[in-house]
Amino acid sequence: MGARTVLTANYVGDRKIEIREADPSPPKAGQVQIKVAYTGICGTDLHILHGHMDARVKRPAVVGHEMSGVIAAVGDGVSGWDPGDHVTVMPLDWDGTCPACRAGNQHICQNLNFVGIDSPGALQGLWNVDADLLVPLPATLRLDHAALVEPVAVAVHDVRRAELAPGDRVVVVGGGPIGVLIAAVARHEGAEVVVVEIDPLRRQAAAALGFQVLDPSATDQVGWVEEWTQGAGADVAFEVSGAAAAILGVTDLVKVRGTVVVVAIHPQPRPVNLQRVFWRELRLLGARVYQRADFERAVELLATGVIPAGDLITGIVPISGTADAFAALESGRAMKILVDVSGGTA
């Protein structure tokens, strides 16, 4: 690798990731250049790898949107940021003019550029981003742990959407990384939480973090929740698995006027038990991304140790091993795999 080149991890289609060299350009006006430290691989990235987002992703595509890094350079017109600052990126670039933005819902802009999907992301040694996407990190927060800010922000937003109250009974369907983070945030907010997960390794990981876990293949989850709640049903259920059977059955788990929050990306329409929604006057909510307050709260929860980042990070691979990180997450053997991107910078 030359002195002026960096390594980039690219989705090229056909379920393939290629490592390429690139010549970085200086940041434009209004941008900063980040020396990326770590980038996390998540379920959305797997959807990209599987081709579910090919209509949005221009190939070859540098992906990745869960990250931490250090500012390397600042473009013209940028104030309040300096080289050496530790930062993460809230990867939402909205137009500010669509009906959603005008109504105050910029985070779900109708023409949203999700950075790392619709435009180049963080799996590159030096990354130029608009300065208004930056979120500061405390110097005391380890950069590997800080790469979890984005998924923690997802969990914070999901829990906030649910309007949880202390003492609520909560069922999290799906014990992957986001499910466990939702469980952790909900527990911190005072809820009693059970995690439903079919995979034994993920059940073990959730149990190790102190959560009650159910195996839906071995336990009647509806009967269990009925007993747990003295016949009422859970106050809130989060559907995080993305499985057709889960979204069909999740409405059976919640109380009259309870809440179901759909968190998982379902790549195709799913059957939903609307009779149950009608009969119990349920709230069915979507929770897609996050707002800046969610990001700031996520930084706080990580910096204070509420989120056990070290227990959630299964492994760290060099950028040359990005394809291996995807494979590990795809197999279900891992909770969170980070890519050490800094080793790919000259």
Side-chain angles (χ1 to χ4, degrees):
M1 185 170 64
R4 294 182 54 82
T5 61
V6 296
L7 292 180
T8 66
N10 300 261
Y11 166 64
V12 296
D14 299 323
R15 298 193 174 213
K16 293 180 181 176
I17 299 292
E18 289 185 1
I19 306 301
R20 300 182 176 185
E21 292 187 13
D23 296 314
S25 57
K28 298 177 182 177
Q31 290 186 328
V32 301
Q33 185 175 77
I34 303 172
K35 181 178 171 66
V36 179
Y38 298 95
T39 300
I41 305 299
C42 74
T44 301
D45 297 315
L46 286 182
H47 281 290
I48 293 173
L49 184 71
H50 296 162
H52 298 156
M53 296 185 174
D54 279 359
R56 292 172 59 184
V57 178
K58 298 177 182 177
R59 298 171 297 282
V62 177
V63 296
H65 56 273
E66 302 179 2
M67 60 76 62
S68 63
V70 179
I71 294 178
V74 174
D76 292 340
V78 173
S79 62
W81 301 102
D82 296 298
D85 288 348
H86 288 201
V87 294
T88 187
V89 169
M90 191 174 89
L92 307 181
D93 178 22
W94 50 77
D95 65 11
T97 61
C98 74
C101 286
R102 294 199 305 271
N105 297 313
Q106 295 92 338
H107 68 296
I108 44 176
C109 169
Q110 290 166 231
N111 303 301
L112 185 67
N113 165 31
F114 195 112
V115 181
I117 299 174
D118 304 303
S119 59
L123 281 168
Q124 54 183 310
L126 291 170
W127 186 29
N128 294 337
V129 299
D130 292 343
D132 58 6
L133 303 186
L134 298 181
V135 175
L137 297 172
T140 54
L141 179 58
R142 290 171 42 166
L143 286 174
D144 55 345
H145 292 184
L148 272 62
V149 168
E150 195 270 355
V152 174
V154 170
V156 170
H157 185 76
D158 297 342
V159 169
R160 187 160 62 86
R161 284 282 283 156
E163 300 177 350
L164 279 187
D168 277 356
R169 300 286 179 92
V170 171
V171 180
V172 179
V173 182
I178 294 296
V180 168
L181 288 174
I182 289 171
V185 173
R187 180 171 64 185
H188 184 65
E189 295 295 326
E192 297 181 47
V193 183
V194 62
V195 177
V196 178
E197 172 57 52
I198 198 166
D199 181 82
L201 292 178
R202 288 187 164 176
R203 282 202 308 276
Q204 183 179 3
L209 295 172
F211 294 109
Q212 195 159 210
V213 294
L214 290 183
D215 176 1
S217 68
T219 302
D220 172 12
Q221 59 184 335
V222 174
W224 191 96
V225 170
E226 288 267 328
E227 183 176 350
W228 182 44
T229 61
Q230 294 79 51
D235 297 282
V236 180
F238 295 91
E239 202 302 285
V240 200
S241 73
I247 194 64
L248 182 61
V250 70
T251 50
D252 291 334
L253 301 176
V254 290
K255 70 179 186 181
V256 168
R257 290 202 165 183
T259 299
V260 173
V261 184
V262 180
V263 177
I265 297 175
H266 290 265
Q268 59 195 25
R270 304 289 200 193
V272 177
N273 188 349
L274 293 181
Q275 197 277 340
R276 183 73 168 188
V277 173
F278 158 80
W279 196 254
R280 288 208 158 190
E281 292 195 356
L282 304 182
R283 289 198 310 163
L284 186 63
L285 299 177
R288 179 178 165 192
V289 277
Y290 29 67
Q291 295 165 284
R292 181 165 287 268
D294 301 316
F295 247 73
E296 293 168 349
R297 179 63 169 156
V299 171
E300 179 185 347
L301 293 177
L302 283 160
T304 56
V306 169
I307 302 297
D311 295 328
L312 295 170
I313 297 170
T314 307
I316 300 175
V317 303
I319 191 170
S320 59
T322 300
D324 297 331
F326 274 85
L329 188 62
E330 189 172 30
S331 72
R333 300 191 308 269
M335 288 297 287
K336 178 58 63 178
I337 300 288
L338 302 183
V339 176
D340 181 351
V341 182
S342 61
T345 307

